[in-house]
Amino acid sequence: MNSQSIKTFITLAKLNSFSQTATSLYISQSTVTKRICELEKEVGKPLFYRDKKHVSLTEDGRIFLKYATRIVELASNLRITSMLSASSRSS
């Protein structure tokens, strides 16, 4: 599990479209599919319902979305804290 896969998951959960997610993240649709499949394999559960025209979160996907969002928030806070710490040491 890496940050790119998590961000791809969050974006797909918001947009409900593989093609729109790819466009939004400036990656190919096949990359979106690969990242989501790898994430589902790692989690051990399907995170999305898929058919030819629609994508939506499964119940497990809704639960994972809460964790994924929190992971991104924590990573962002860690980067900010690290920058502030480095800046105060150099002053």
Side-chain angles (χ1 to χ4, degrees):
M1 188 176 313
N2 62 49
S3 63
Q4 290 179 331
S5 294
I6 292 171
K7 288 176 184 175
T8 301
F9 168 79
I10 292 170
T11 304
L12 181 57
K14 288 179 185 174
L15 298 177
N16 293 318
S17 165
F18 280 85
S19 61
Q20 288 179 12
T21 298
T23 300
S24 172
L25 296 175
Y26 303 101
I27 58 177
S28 68
Q29 188 171 338
S30 63
T31 300
V32 173
T33 300
K34 181 180 174 188
R35 288 179 183 173
I36 296 303
C37 287
E38 288 172 355
L39 193 57
E40 288 177 324
K41 186 175 181 180
E42 192 167 346
V43 170
K45 299 191 181 229
L47 301 172
F48 291 94
Y49 294 113
R50 301 166 177 86
D51 65 27
K52 292 183 181 185
K53 294 186 179 185
H54 299 96
V55 178
S56 61
L57 286 169
T58 62
E59 184 60 32
D60 290 318
R62 284 190 279 281
I63 292 167
F64 187 75
L65 180 59
K66 294 174 186 176
Y67 288 104
T69 302
R70 186 70 178 135
I71 289 167
V72 170
E73 289 170 358
L74 290 170
S76 178
N77 290 343
L78 180 61
R79 280 191 294 278
I80 291 168
T81 301
S82 295
M83 286 188 300
L84 292 174
S85 176
S87 139
S88 67
R89 278 188 251 138
S90 64
S91 297

XYZ file of all heavy atoms in Angstrom:
719
model
N 0.863 -1.171 0.000
C 0.000 0.000 0.000
C 0.906 1.229 0.000
O 1.805 1.342 0.816
C -0.881 -0.032 1.253
C -1.941 1.011 1.284
S -3.062 0.889 2.709
C -3.478 -0.826 2.769
N 0.659 2.113 -0.934
C 1.454 3.340 -0.987
C 0.538 4.546 -1.141
O -0.665 4.405 -1.386
C 2.500 3.267 -2.104
C 1.873 3.122 -3.470
O 0.960 3.856 -3.837
N 2.354 2.166 -4.251
N 1.131 5.710 -0.995
C 0.321 6.939 -1.013
C -0.376 7.159 -2.358
O -1.494 7.659 -2.393
C 1.172 8.148 -0.635
O 2.207 8.347 -1.576
N 0.270 6.756 -3.448
C -0.361 6.933 -4.758
C -1.621 6.071 -4.887
O -2.634 6.534 -5.411
C 0.624 6.595 -5.878
C 1.742 7.598 -6.008
C 2.702 7.218 -7.117
O 2.874 6.041 -7.429
N 3.325 8.217 -7.710
N -1.554 4.858 -4.397
C -2.723 3.979 -4.453
C -3.852 4.523 -3.588
O -5.019 4.488 -3.982
C -2.357 2.571 -3.983
O -1.466 1.982 -4.883
N -3.496 5.023 -2.425
C -4.510 5.580 -1.524
C -5.144 6.823 -2.128
O -6.371 6.976 -2.105
C -3.900 5.870 -0.136
C -3.531 4.544 0.551
C -4.858 6.678 0.726
C -2.727 4.696 1.813
N -4.343 7.702 -2.703
C -4.898 8.906 -3.337
C -5.765 8.542 -4.545
O -6.797 9.163 -4.781
C -3.777 9.861 -3.734
C -3.140 10.523 -2.538
C -1.976 11.400 -2.925
C -1.309 11.969 -1.677
N -0.100 12.732 -1.976
N -5.351 7.520 -5.284
C -6.157 7.056 -6.419
C -7.493 6.516 -5.921
O -8.551 6.823 -6.488
C -5.395 5.982 -7.211
O -4.152 6.526 -7.672
C -6.208 5.487 -8.399
N -7.452 5.735 -4.848
C -8.676 5.200 -4.255
C -9.627 6.321 -3.830
O -10.821 6.297 -4.147
C -8.328 4.315 -3.047
C -9.525 3.955 -2.215
C -10.393 2.955 -2.616
C -9.810 4.641 -1.049
C -11.514 2.641 -1.861
C -10.920 4.335 -0.284
C -11.779 3.335 -0.690
N -9.108 7.316 -3.130
C -9.935 8.428 -2.648
C -10.543 9.189 -3.828
O -11.740 9.524 -3.817
C -9.122 9.370 -1.741
C -8.766 8.653 -0.429
C -9.889 10.663 -1.459
C -7.759 9.395 0.435
N -9.751 9.424 -4.849
C -10.250 10.146 -6.024
C -11.327 9.346 -6.736
O -12.377 9.893 -7.109
C -9.089 10.473 -6.986
O -8.088 11.211 -6.271
C -9.573 11.302 -8.168
N -11.115 8.051 -6.901
C -12.129 7.207 -7.545
C -13.402 7.161 -6.711
O -14.510 7.197 -7.261
C -11.578 5.798 -7.776
C -12.509 4.805 -8.472
C -12.974 5.330 -9.833
C -11.809 3.449 -8.615
N -13.257 7.126 -5.400
C -14.440 7.117 -4.526
C -15.247 8.406 -4.683
O -16.479 8.379 -4.619
C -14.007 6.944 -3.073
N -14.566 9.518 -4.917
C -15.259 10.803 -5.095
C -15.891 10.926 -6.476
O -17.004 11.412 -6.616
C -14.276 11.970 -4.895
C -13.859 12.179 -3.472
C -12.870 13.326 -3.363
C -12.352 13.460 -1.949
N -11.297 14.473 -1.837
N -15.153 10.504 -7.503
C -15.600 10.725 -8.880
C -16.440 9.584 -9.446
O -17.168 9.779 -10.428
C -14.386 10.962 -9.789
C -13.529 12.189 -9.452
C -12.321 12.262 -10.379
C -14.355 13.465 -9.533
N -16.310 8.384 -8.870
C -17.044 7.209 -9.358
C -16.849 6.963 -10.845
O -17.780 6.549 -11.546
C -18.539 7.331 -9.031
C -18.793 7.274 -7.547
O -18.201 6.477 -6.844
N -19.656 8.140 -7.073
N -15.634 7.214 -11.307
C -15.334 7.016 -12.730
C -13.840 6.770 -12.895
O -13.028 7.603 -12.475
C -15.748 8.251 -13.531
O -15.181 8.231 -14.817
N -13.501 5.633 -13.502
C -12.088 5.342 -13.741
C -11.479 6.362 -14.693
O -10.358 6.821 -14.481
C -11.924 3.923 -14.300
C -11.978 2.861 -13.243
C -13.193 2.339 -12.809
C -10.821 2.369 -12.667
C -13.246 1.349 -11.840
C -10.865 1.387 -11.691
C -12.080 0.878 -11.276
N -12.204 6.715 -15.749
C -11.649 7.652 -16.738
C -11.492 9.054 -16.152
O -10.475 9.715 -16.381
C -12.490 7.676 -18.005
O -13.807 8.096 -17.729
N -12.462 9.524 -15.397
C -12.343 10.839 -14.771
C -11.234 10.860 -13.723
O -10.530 11.857 -13.572
C -13.666 11.265 -14.147
C -14.721 11.632 -15.167
C -16.043 12.020 -14.516
O -16.122 12.232 -13.318
N -17.083 12.096 -15.322
N -11.081 9.766 -13.007
C -9.999 9.662 -12.024
C -8.647 9.736 -12.725
O -7.748 10.460 -12.285
C -10.121 8.355 -11.212
O -11.354 8.393 -10.489
C -8.965 8.174 -10.254
N -8.514 9.012 -13.817
C -7.264 9.044 -14.586
C -6.954 10.454 -15.063
O -5.824 10.946 -14.910
C -7.357 8.083 -15.770
N -7.944 11.116 -15.607
C -7.755 12.486 -16.089
C -7.371 13.413 -14.945
O -6.437 14.210 -15.065
C -9.040 12.995 -16.774
O -9.342 12.134 -17.879
C -8.888 14.420 -17.254
N -8.057 13.289 -13.842
C -7.811 14.143 -12.674
C -6.398 13.968 -12.121
O -5.778 14.938 -11.676
C -8.842 13.814 -11.593
O -8.546 14.469 -10.386
N -5.886 12.744 -12.165
C -4.565 12.462 -11.595
C -3.445 12.464 -12.646
O -2.291 12.195 -12.325
C -4.591 11.100 -10.884
C -5.528 11.004 -9.681
C -5.551 9.576 -9.135
C -5.123 11.983 -8.591
N -3.804 12.751 -13.906
C -2.832 12.788 -15.007
C -2.106 11.454 -15.175
O -0.893 11.396 -15.343
C -1.816 13.930 -14.813
C -2.464 15.278 -14.679
C -2.633 15.871 -13.432
C -2.942 15.950 -15.804
C -3.253 17.104 -13.299
C -3.554 17.189 -15.687
C -3.719 17.756 -14.425
O -4.329 18.971 -14.308
N -2.889 10.377 -15.104
C -2.368 9.035 -15.315
C -3.307 8.308 -16.269
O -4.395 8.797 -16.569
C -2.229 8.248 -13.983
C -3.585 8.141 -13.255
C -1.168 8.878 -13.087
C -3.541 7.316 -11.969
N -2.880 7.143 -16.741
C -3.744 6.380 -17.648
C -4.825 5.642 -16.861
O -4.683 5.381 -15.660
C -2.910 5.372 -18.445
O -2.420 4.360 -17.588
N -5.887 5.317 -17.559
C -6.980 4.564 -16.943
C -6.486 3.187 -16.488
O -6.897 2.687 -15.446
C -8.144 4.439 -17.923
C -9.384 3.846 -17.302
C -10.581 3.942 -18.229
O -10.613 4.776 -19.124
N -11.561 3.096 -18.019
N -5.574 2.605 -17.247
C -5.048 1.289 -16.855
C -4.237 1.389 -15.561
O -4.228 0.441 -14.763
C -4.203 0.678 -17.978
O -3.066 1.475 -18.242
N -3.593 2.522 -15.326
C -2.863 2.720 -14.069
C -3.832 2.809 -12.903
O -3.584 2.252 -11.826
C -1.969 3.977 -14.142
O -1.029 3.805 -15.206
C -1.225 4.219 -12.846
N -4.943 3.490 -13.099
C -5.979 3.565 -12.056
C -6.457 2.152 -11.731
O -6.513 1.746 -10.564
C -7.178 4.446 -12.484
C -8.309 4.375 -11.463
C -6.729 5.885 -12.703
N -6.785 1.392 -12.764
C -7.272 0.028 -12.576
C -6.243 -0.814 -11.832
O -6.584 -1.535 -10.891
C -7.600 -0.617 -13.934
O -8.604 0.177 -14.580
C -8.086 -2.040 -13.779
N -4.989 -0.724 -12.242
C -3.924 -1.505 -11.612
C -3.785 -1.141 -10.136
O -3.690 -2.027 -9.282
C -2.606 -1.268 -12.344
C -1.451 -2.051 -11.793
C -0.175 -1.775 -12.566
C 0.998 -2.471 -11.898
N 2.265 -2.088 -12.481
N -3.772 0.141 -9.824
C -3.626 0.578 -8.430
C -4.782 0.088 -7.568
O -4.579 -0.366 -6.441
C -3.524 2.099 -8.350
C -2.204 2.643 -8.848
C -2.173 4.148 -8.759
N -0.926 4.681 -9.314
C -0.686 5.971 -9.485
N -1.595 6.870 -9.133
N 0.466 6.370 -9.988
N -5.993 0.176 -8.097
C -7.167 -0.252 -7.322
C -7.152 -1.767 -7.140
O -7.419 -2.270 -6.038
C -8.473 0.225 -8.001
C -8.543 1.762 -8.016
C -9.697 -0.374 -7.294
C -8.450 2.445 -6.665
N -6.812 -2.504 -8.173
C -6.742 -3.969 -8.059
C -5.685 -4.388 -7.038
O -5.925 -5.293 -6.229
C -6.464 -4.597 -9.417
S -7.874 -4.554 -10.532
N -4.530 -3.742 -7.068
C -3.474 -4.052 -6.097
C -3.927 -3.724 -4.677
O -3.660 -4.491 -3.744
C -2.196 -3.282 -6.435
C -1.478 -3.809 -7.664
C -0.318 -2.939 -8.108
O -0.098 -1.852 -7.520
O 0.376 -3.346 -9.061
N -4.609 -2.604 -4.520
C -5.098 -2.206 -3.198
C -6.141 -3.207 -2.695
O -6.092 -3.632 -1.542
C -5.692 -0.792 -3.282
C -5.989 -0.065 -1.998
C -4.742 0.069 -1.124
C -6.540 1.325 -2.300
N -7.055 -3.609 -3.566
C -8.070 -4.593 -3.180
C -7.423 -5.932 -2.819
O -7.841 -6.587 -1.855
C -9.092 -4.772 -4.303
C -10.005 -3.585 -4.455
C -10.987 -3.702 -5.595
O -10.618 -4.271 -6.652
O -12.125 -3.244 -5.433
N -6.398 -6.306 -3.550
C -5.696 -7.550 -3.246
C -5.022 -7.453 -1.880
O -5.090 -8.384 -1.081
C -4.661 -7.830 -4.338
C -3.983 -9.154 -4.209
C -3.056 -9.392 -5.393
C -2.380 -10.746 -5.275
N -1.485 -11.005 -6.399
N -4.398 -6.320 -1.615
C -3.717 -6.131 -0.336
C -4.701 -6.093 0.831
O -4.455 -6.677 1.881
C -2.901 -4.837 -0.376
C -1.949 -4.714 0.771
C -0.931 -3.600 0.571
O -0.789 -3.103 -0.551
O -0.296 -3.230 1.563
N -5.829 -5.411 0.634
C -6.855 -5.324 1.678
C -7.577 -6.661 1.824
O -8.048 -7.008 2.913
C -7.844 -4.175 1.349
C -9.044 -4.191 2.263
C -7.137 -2.833 1.416
N -7.657 -7.402 0.739
C -8.303 -8.710 0.782
C -9.808 -8.665 0.583
O -10.499 -9.657 0.830
N -10.307 -7.523 0.120
C -11.750 -7.376 -0.106
C -11.976 -6.440 -1.274
O -11.199 -5.526 -1.516
C -12.423 -6.783 1.130
C -12.261 -7.648 2.344
C -13.137 -7.181 3.469
C -12.886 -8.101 4.640
N -14.051 -8.611 5.234
N -13.082 -6.624 -1.989
C -13.416 -5.654 -3.040
C -13.829 -4.327 -2.409
O -14.583 -4.306 -1.433
C -14.575 -6.297 -3.797
C -15.106 -7.369 -2.917
C -14.030 -7.737 -1.944
N -13.314 -3.252 -2.947
C -13.623 -1.923 -2.418
C -14.666 -1.200 -3.269
O -15.268 -0.235 -2.805
C -12.338 -1.087 -2.322
C -11.246 -1.683 -1.422
C -9.954 -0.884 -1.550
C -11.715 -1.744 0.020
N -14.845 -1.671 -4.502
C -15.800 -1.051 -5.418
C -16.683 -2.103 -6.074
O -16.238 -3.209 -6.364
C -15.058 -0.293 -6.536
C -14.332 0.930 -6.069
C -12.995 0.869 -5.731
C -14.991 2.144 -5.956
C -12.317 1.989 -5.291
C -14.327 3.269 -5.529
C -12.985 3.195 -5.191
N -17.933 -1.713 -6.314
C -18.811 -2.442 -7.228
C -18.522 -1.855 -8.600
O -18.395 -0.639 -8.746
C -20.287 -2.208 -6.904
C -20.744 -2.753 -5.578
C -21.125 -1.882 -4.560
C -20.823 -4.123 -5.347
C -21.576 -2.375 -3.338
C -21.261 -4.622 -4.129
C -21.635 -3.738 -3.129
O -22.066 -4.220 -1.930
N -18.452 -2.700 -9.610
C -18.194 -2.224 -10.967
C -19.189 -2.871 -11.925
O -19.483 -4.053 -11.821
C -16.799 -2.616 -11.425
C -15.658 -2.112 -10.579
C -14.394 -2.884 -10.975
N -13.202 -2.464 -10.302
C -12.792 -2.895 -9.118
N -13.529 -3.757 -8.446
N -11.669 -2.475 -8.597
N -19.652 -2.064 -12.863
C -20.312 -2.608 -14.040
C -19.836 -1.768 -15.209
O -18.950 -0.937 -15.053
C -21.841 -2.669 -13.884
C -22.515 -1.316 -13.766
O -21.970 -0.320 -14.291
O -23.600 -1.243 -13.164
N -20.403 -1.960 -16.359
C -19.874 -1.278 -17.550
C -19.976 0.239 -17.472
O -19.178 0.942 -18.071
C -20.560 -1.795 -18.800
C -20.191 -3.227 -19.095
C -20.811 -3.719 -20.363
C -20.399 -5.170 -20.547
N -20.826 -5.731 -21.784
N -20.951 0.751 -16.738
C -21.160 2.193 -16.716
C -21.004 2.835 -15.344
O -20.937 4.050 -15.245
C -22.550 2.526 -17.257
C -22.709 2.181 -18.712
C -24.036 2.663 -19.238
C -24.155 2.320 -20.706
N -25.361 2.849 -21.296
N -20.959 2.027 -14.290
C -20.956 2.607 -12.949
C -19.882 1.997 -12.053
O -19.531 0.833 -12.198
C -22.325 2.397 -12.279
C -23.434 3.040 -13.020
N -24.209 2.348 -13.923
C -23.905 4.304 -13.020
C -25.116 3.164 -14.439
N -24.954 4.363 -13.903
N -19.418 2.832 -11.133
C -18.489 2.404 -10.092
C -19.015 2.987 -8.791
O -19.367 4.172 -8.735
C -17.068 2.956 -10.348
C -16.122 2.560 -9.236
C -16.536 2.512 -11.684
N -19.089 2.173 -7.757
C -19.502 2.685 -6.448
C -18.818 1.882 -5.358
O -18.385 0.745 -5.575
C -21.023 2.633 -6.286
O -21.480 1.302 -6.369
N -18.688 2.487 -4.195
C -18.019 1.846 -3.077
C -18.853 0.693 -2.508
O -20.069 0.799 -2.399
C -17.780 2.853 -1.955
C -16.680 3.881 -2.180
C -16.740 4.955 -1.106
C -15.318 3.221 -2.207
N -18.169 -0.372 -2.143
C -18.806 -1.434 -1.368
C -18.846 -0.954 0.085
O -18.280 0.096 0.424
C -17.978 -2.735 -1.431
O -16.693 -2.473 -0.845
C -17.821 -3.249 -2.846
N -19.471 -1.710 0.950
C -19.466 -1.362 2.373
C -18.037 -1.346 2.905
O -17.646 -0.431 3.638
C -20.333 -2.335 3.176
C -20.435 -1.974 4.643
C -21.038 -0.594 4.902
O -21.895 -0.137 4.124
O -20.627 0.039 5.900
N -17.243 -2.324 2.512
C -15.831 -2.336 2.915
C -15.096 -1.122 2.350
O -14.216 -0.559 3.002
C -15.143 -3.627 2.454
C -15.632 -4.839 3.221
O -15.806 -4.747 4.455
O -15.835 -5.896 2.584
N -15.454 -0.726 1.145
C -14.864 0.468 0.538
C -15.192 1.729 1.319
O -14.338 2.605 1.501
N -16.417 1.833 1.799
C -16.814 3.002 2.612
C -16.026 3.040 3.920
O -15.589 4.102 4.357
C -18.310 2.986 2.876
C -19.147 3.420 1.679
C -20.604 3.635 2.060
N -21.344 2.381 2.106
C -21.815 1.747 1.044
N -21.607 2.227 -0.161
N -22.486 0.630 1.163
N -15.840 1.885 4.512
C -15.055 1.820 5.749
C -13.602 2.193 5.460
O -12.997 2.998 6.174
C -15.149 0.413 6.374
C -16.580 0.162 6.874
C -14.131 0.234 7.506
C -16.877 -1.279 7.223
N -13.051 1.614 4.389
C -11.657 1.902 4.042
C -11.456 3.374 3.693
O -10.398 3.939 3.982
C -11.193 1.004 2.893
C -9.733 1.131 2.590
C -8.785 0.550 3.424
C -9.303 1.851 1.497
C -7.431 0.682 3.159
C -7.952 1.996 1.223
C -7.020 1.410 2.054
N -12.448 4.002 3.090
C -12.342 5.414 2.723
C -12.068 6.279 3.947
O -11.268 7.211 3.890
C -13.617 5.885 2.011
C -13.645 7.347 1.581
C -12.503 7.672 0.619
C -14.998 7.669 0.938
N -12.704 5.971 5.056
C -12.462 6.732 6.290
C -11.002 6.612 6.716
O -10.370 7.605 7.076
C -13.382 6.251 7.410
C -14.841 6.526 7.158
C -15.712 5.902 8.232
C -17.183 6.055 7.880
N -18.055 5.385 8.846
N -10.477 5.408 6.664
C -9.070 5.191 7.035
C -8.127 5.847 6.029
O -7.130 6.460 6.414
C -8.764 3.700 7.144
C -9.385 3.056 8.351
C -10.519 2.258 8.229
C -8.852 3.245 9.625
C -11.099 1.667 9.338
C -9.425 2.658 10.741
C -10.549 1.870 10.600
O -11.122 1.296 11.698
N -8.436 5.703 4.754
C -7.580 6.271 3.712
C -7.502 7.790 3.835
O -6.426 8.386 3.727
C -8.109 5.876 2.328
N -8.642 8.412 4.087
C -8.680 9.863 4.259
C -7.831 10.270 5.455
O -7.063 11.240 5.396
C -10.134 10.343 4.430
O -10.885 9.933 3.281
C -10.214 11.840 4.574
N -7.933 9.535 6.525
C -7.150 9.830 7.732
C -5.655 9.640 7.488
O -4.834 10.421 7.960
C -7.626 8.941 8.892
C -6.988 9.272 10.194
C -7.488 10.616 10.726
N -6.859 10.858 12.012
C -6.324 12.007 12.369
N -6.385 13.048 11.568
N -5.754 12.141 13.533
N -5.288 8.609 6.747
C -3.882 8.367 6.414
C -3.308 9.564 5.655
O -2.205 10.030 5.952
C -3.724 7.066 5.594
C -3.985 5.859 6.479
C -2.354 6.983 4.942
C -4.161 4.557 5.711
N -4.043 10.066 4.675
C -3.582 11.214 3.890
C -3.448 12.449 4.780
O -2.474 13.198 4.681
C -4.517 11.470 2.688
C -4.206 12.787 2.013
C -4.426 10.319 1.698
N -4.410 12.660 5.659
C -4.343 13.796 6.592
C -3.122 13.689 7.494
O -2.402 14.673 7.695
C -5.604 13.859 7.457
C -6.850 14.274 6.731
C -8.116 14.091 7.561
O -8.034 13.594 8.715
O -9.199 14.425 7.055
N -2.889 12.520 8.052
C -1.740 12.323 8.945
C -0.416 12.515 8.210
O 0.515 13.118 8.746
C -1.800 10.937 9.590
C -2.900 10.734 10.626
C -3.003 9.267 11.006
C -2.668 11.597 11.849
N -0.333 12.013 6.990
C 0.887 12.180 6.204
C 1.143 13.657 5.920
O 2.283 14.128 6.000
C 0.789 11.394 4.900
N 0.091 14.390 5.617
C 0.216 15.822 5.370
C 0.678 16.546 6.632
O 1.572 17.391 6.585
C -1.117 16.388 4.891
O -1.023 17.781 4.696
N 0.084 16.198 7.772
C 0.481 16.810 9.040
C 1.931 16.498 9.368
O 2.663 17.357 9.884
C -0.419 16.329 10.186
C -1.824 16.868 10.087
O -2.084 17.825 9.364
N -2.743 16.253 10.800
N 2.371 15.287 9.078
C 3.747 14.899 9.332
C 4.712 15.725 8.490
O 5.735 16.193 8.988
C 3.937 13.405 9.057
C 5.331 12.842 9.290
C 5.747 13.023 10.749
C 5.377 11.383 8.907
N 4.363 15.938 7.219
C 5.212 16.754 6.337
C 5.291 18.183 6.856
O 6.364 18.782 6.886
C 4.687 16.723 4.903
C 5.070 15.475 4.149
C 4.763 15.596 2.659
N 3.340 15.674 2.376
C 2.525 14.636 2.304
N 2.986 13.422 2.489
N 1.255 14.783 2.033
N 4.170 18.737 7.273
C 4.147 20.107 7.790
C 4.982 20.212 9.059
O 5.792 21.122 9.215
C 2.695 20.575 8.046
C 1.961 20.740 6.711
C 2.663 21.871 8.834
C 0.463 20.915 6.829
N 4.822 19.261 9.952
C 5.577 19.256 11.198
C 7.071 19.140 10.915
O 7.879 19.845 11.527
C 5.118 18.087 12.114
O 3.731 18.249 12.385
C 5.891 18.053 13.407
N 7.436 18.294 9.978
C 8.842 18.124 9.618
C 9.420 19.410 9.029
O 10.542 19.798 9.356
C 9.006 16.985 8.599
O 8.646 15.766 9.191
N 8.658 20.077 8.179
C 9.122 21.333 7.593
C 9.301 22.407 8.655
O 10.291 23.133 8.660
C 8.154 21.820 6.503
C 8.235 21.024 5.226
S 7.282 21.733 3.861
C 5.626 21.747 4.508
N 8.335 22.495 9.562
C 8.426 23.493 10.632
C 9.611 23.208 11.545
O 10.320 24.113 11.960
C 7.123 23.542 11.443
C 5.899 24.088 10.715
C 4.665 23.930 11.586
C 6.113 25.541 10.332
N 9.821 21.956 11.833
C 10.929 21.556 12.695
C 12.268 21.883 12.026
O 13.182 22.409 12.658
C 10.847 20.071 13.001
O 11.932 19.646 13.755
N 12.390 21.578 10.759
C 13.617 21.873 10.016
C 13.854 23.370 9.916
O 14.975 23.848 10.028
C 13.549 21.244 8.626
N 12.776 24.116 9.727
C 12.892 25.565 9.605
C 13.307 26.200 10.930
O 14.097 27.120 10.973
C 11.566 26.112 9.098
O 11.184 27.275 9.704
N 12.791 25.681 12.044
C 13.156 26.260 13.350
C 14.600 25.905 13.723
O 15.266 26.672 14.401
C 12.188 25.792 14.441
O 12.329 24.417 14.683
N 15.097 24.768 13.255
C 16.487 24.396 13.526
C 17.465 25.244 12.737
O 18.558 25.502 13.183
C 16.717 22.919 13.194
C 16.273 22.003 14.296
C 16.682 20.575 14.020
N 15.443 19.867 13.698
C 15.283 18.991 12.738
N 16.281 18.640 11.984
N 14.117 18.429 12.504
N 17.059 25.687 11.548
C 17.959 26.476 10.726
C 17.930 27.959 11.074
O 18.732 28.721 10.595
C 17.643 26.254 9.247
O 16.355 26.725 8.940
N 16.986 28.366 11.901
C 16.887 29.792 12.277
C 17.813 30.146 13.410
O 18.270 29.446 14.194
C 15.461 30.130 12.717
O 14.580 29.950 11.660
